[in-house]
Amino acid sequence: MSSSFTLAFNSDQLAENEIKLVKLNSISMVIIRRNNEIFALNSRCPHMGCSFANGTLKDYILTCPCHGWSFDIRNGEYQANKNIKLETFETKVENGQILVKAVSEYW
């Protein structure tokens, strides 16, 4: 396991289309399994800071529960303005464990 990745949890603890809130290396993020791929994004909407923990997922679009802002989980792009992005984090699965490169570009 690379030292640049942090263990989030066991892979079997994340169901398909589930949104799981975690804190890794002081970074709050949501981890999502979609089509058996793992995605990790900043847990707070840039609009007003609402948590995506109770957001909705349709296809690859994660929608904020507070005001409906929608983001592509593959690249973090806000659907109404591609210049606004959620921070995304590299993920991988090794030995049945979900690992996240939990280093923020913004800190």
Side-chain angles (χ1 to χ4, degrees), residues 28-103:
S28 181
M29 63 182 71
V30 288
I31 300 179
I32 301 166
R33 182 188 303 268
R34 175 77 182 141
N35 288 331
N36 214 28
E37 291 180 86
I38 306 297
F39 301 91
L41 304 98
N42 187 302
S43 70
R44 295 281 173 192
C45 182
H47 175 229
M48 297 202 53
C50 290
S51 174
F52 284 108
N54 294 315
T56 56
L57 184 67
K58 183 175 180 186
D59 297 320
Y60 288 95
I61 305 302
L62 177 63
T63 301
C64 178
C66 295
H67 301 102
W69 280 37
S70 297
F71 297 84
D72 190 320
I73 63 173
R74 295 170 291 191
N75 55 25
E77 288 181 349
Y78 175 45
Q79 297 304 282
N81 180 346
K82 306 293 185 201
N83 293 319
I84 298 173
K85 291 188 177 190
L86 277 181
E87 186 172 19
T88 59
F89 303 93
E90 186 179 348
T91 66
K92 64 182 178 178
V93 177
E94 282 184 357
N95 302 317
Q97 298 178 321
I98 294 175
L99 307 167
V100 180
K101 197 172 214 177
V103 177

